[in-house]
Amino acid sequence: MVLDEEHISNILAETGEKPFRLNQIRRWVYTRGMVDFHQMSDLSAALKERLAAEIKPLSLEIKTRLTSRDKSTDKLALLLHDGQMIEMVILRNLTGRVSVCISSQVGCAVGCAFCATGQGGICRNLTAEEIADQVLLARVLLKSEVGSRKYEVGSTKSEVGGTKETLPSNVIIMGMGEPFLNYDAIVQALDLVNRRLNIGGRRLTVSTVGIVPGIRKFASENLQVNLAVSLHSVDPEVRSSLIPINDTYPLPELKAAVENYIELTRRKVFFEYIMLSGVNDSFADAQALAAWLPEDLSHVNLIRYNQVAESEFDPSSPEVIAGFQKILQDKGIPTTLRHPMGDDIQAACGQLVLRKGGS
Ligand code: SF4
């Protein structure tokens, strides 16, 4: 992704190589997920040496990789050039589809009460290349496991899936950080992922806690990218206690921004709702949520809470979640229940980096 194409072109000119070599290198890296120049069999030995010495296709490297017991989920701590670390999660389902959850910042300033990342504060923004490189890294890893990784998912223990895709089926910017507090970089990164890795906008999702100016700007970008909004409660006090930025961008402003987005883009908005026992999971909460949602093009994702050590929150029981979901569905609201994957590897955002500094 961070192929410095100008630098590569200079190397080609200096070594007397034809300019079309750049296309060959692009194909190796972006299409085939190969980042080791020595393995690029159609390049001369001298060119491989020079490229390997001067060009780094990836701006990050794997520090830690944890795989869940059922082998469906990988959680990676990634080391950046300045020693900072971020997280990425790769989730596979039984059909062989793969979702990748990537980060947009090192740490996060928002400080959501249920989030491990928020407990550590913000360190810095990621560059567009650092954001996009997470997707390239996922492609490199998926390429290496095609046909070889067998896994089970959740309770479907009798069925065994296997990695089939070399491109992530979905990319979600929902890892460490608030994407709309690093707006320009995420828009550039989406463009890089779209153009260079050829992943269509419909397979890309930006997830925000509700940064109203970001939602309004995003609505006018003319991108075919999905928007997800972490709602978690429509009670102002409860939401502020979970997401402090609700005081800055209260629910009426958030709703107006989302409705404006829907009106301009005619795209569905995904509302994320983490199910916390006794906090936001009563049937009255479900009724209030149904009443709050924009009438058109709303989709709710209910998420079972992945408990952070020493957290004040507990996950809602499966029975409560099922009842909550039924209330929404009975009102005609499309609602998906997200099953937690990788509970055994701290798959919730921020947990791996906070744990022993990611080592
Ligand atoms: S949930 Fe997202 S926005 Fe909230 S603190 Fe964690 S990383 Fe930041």
Side-chain angles (χ1 to χ4, degrees), residues 87-114:
E87 291 183 359
M88 175 172 87
V89 180
I90 302 176
L91 306 144
R92 302 162 187 81
N93 72 18
L94 280 171
T95 65
R97 290 169 64 82
V98 181
S99 296
V100 178
C101 179
I102 63 173
S103 297
S104 55
Q105 297 180 304
V106 182
C108 184
V110 176
C112 297
F114 50 82

Side-chain angles (χ1 to χ4, degrees), residues 110-251:
V110 176
C112 297
F114 50 82
C115 172
T117 298
Q119 294 167 17
I122 179 75
C123 181
R124 71 168 170 89
N125 281 334
L126 294 183
T127 63
E129 287 77 13
E130 287 168 334
I131 298 168
D133 271 356
Q134 295 169 69
V135 187
L136 176 58
L137 177 62
R139 163 165 265 192
V140 172
L141 296 173
L142 293 174
K143 177 85 174 66
S144 69
E145 68 184 39
V146 168
S148 64
R149 178 182 285 229
K150 301 288 181 202
Y151 52 88
E152 302 165 329
V153 175
S155 57
T156 319
K157 296 297 183 196
S158 57
E159 293 180 52
V160 179
T163 302
K164 295 178 188 129
E165 304 283 342
T166 60
L167 262 181
S169 317
N170 294 295
V171 174
I172 311 161
I173 307 184
M174 196 197 236
M176 299 179 84
E178 162 50 55
F180 285 161
L181 294 181
N182 188 14
Y183 187 92
D184 291 345
I186 66 125
V187 170
Q188 282 172 36
L190 290 168
D191 180 58
L192 280 172
V193 169
N194 185 241
R195 278 190 301 107
R196 296 201 178 176
L197 284 180
N198 203 21
I199 299 181
R202 283 157 205 274
R203 293 155 65 191
L204 307 174
T205 301
V206 176
S207 177
T208 176
V209 287
I211 308 296
V212 166
I215 295 171
R216 288 193 175 276
K217 201 167 173 194
F218 204 59
S220 59
E221 293 284 355
N222 199 21
L223 296 169
Q224 299 297 310
V225 173
N226 300 306
L227 176 68
V229 175
S230 295
L231 203 51
H232 307 325
S233 175
V234 293
D235 178 297
E237 272 181 39
V238 175
R239 189 163 194 268
S240 287
S241 72
L242 297 173
I243 307 174
I245 213 156
N246 185 61
D247 291 339
T248 311
Y249 305 116
L251 284 157

